[in-house]
Amino acid sequence: QVRVLESGGGSVQTGQSLKLSCEVSGRKISDCLMMWRRQAPGKERELVGNLDRVGSINYSDSVVGRFTITTDNAKNVLYLQMSDLKTDDTAVYYCGAKCGFKPQVWGPGTQVTVSS
């Protein structure tokens, strides 16, 4: 069974950085489509970025150039490095994994709050 667990959220001010982690168990990250999503209060969950099985990464227009997805394959951890944070980045951030024919799974989320 694949499980993911996010960590690293917190409260920062605009312009600061934060790095989220997503620990994956049950399958190697390289076997999975890995996803970062976020959901702000009163809004629908939206794409932050994806990392596919061949290593291609895409980002939403709202974070491109500021957010970076990386992995530590030895630890089986996915990261989301967030820089130049804005108040609009305030949301609960979710990590997801779709590994082969297994059901897509999501973590419980981690709160990121950016204040001016």
Side-chain angles (χ1 to χ4, degrees):
Q1 186 175 358
V2 181
R3 289 190 173 90
V4 297
L5 180 63
E6 309 93 339
S7 62
S11 296
V12 297
Q13 295 188 319
T14 53
Q16 293 187 325
S17 300
L18 207 57
K19 188 174 185 178
L20 306 184
S21 300
C22 173
E23 296 181 26
V24 181
S25 60
R27 287 292 288 269
K28 293 180 180 179
I29 286 178
S30 56
D31 293 339
C32 308
L33 168 65
M34 299 301 303
M35 300 161 279
W36 283 106
R37 300 286 186 271
R38 67 185 182 185
Q39 188 165 17
K43 296 186 178 180
E44 293 186 355
R45 192 174 295 194
E46 64 175 7
L47 167 74
V48 175
N50 295 328
L51 167 65
D52 70 16
R53 287 181 289 272
V54 296
S56 296
I57 301 175
N58 68 288
Y59 301 96
S60 71
D61 290 343
S62 61
V63 307
V64 67
R66 300 188 299 121
F67 289 13
T68 304
I69 293 174
T70 60
T71 64
D72 184 330
N73 289 335
K75 296 180 179 180
N76 217 40
V77 177
L78 178 76
Y79 299 103
L80 181 66
Q81 176 68 54
M82 305 184 293
S83 303
D84 189 23
L85 283 161
K86 306 177 187 302
T87 54
D88 286 347
D89 295 319
T90 295
V92 178
Y93 284 71
Y94 298 93
C95 173
K98 180 68 176 75
C99 308
F101 295 105
K102 295 184 180 295
Q104 184 169 294
V105 297
W106 294 95
T110 186
Q111 176 71 47
V112 173
T113 302
V114 185
S115 58
S116 58

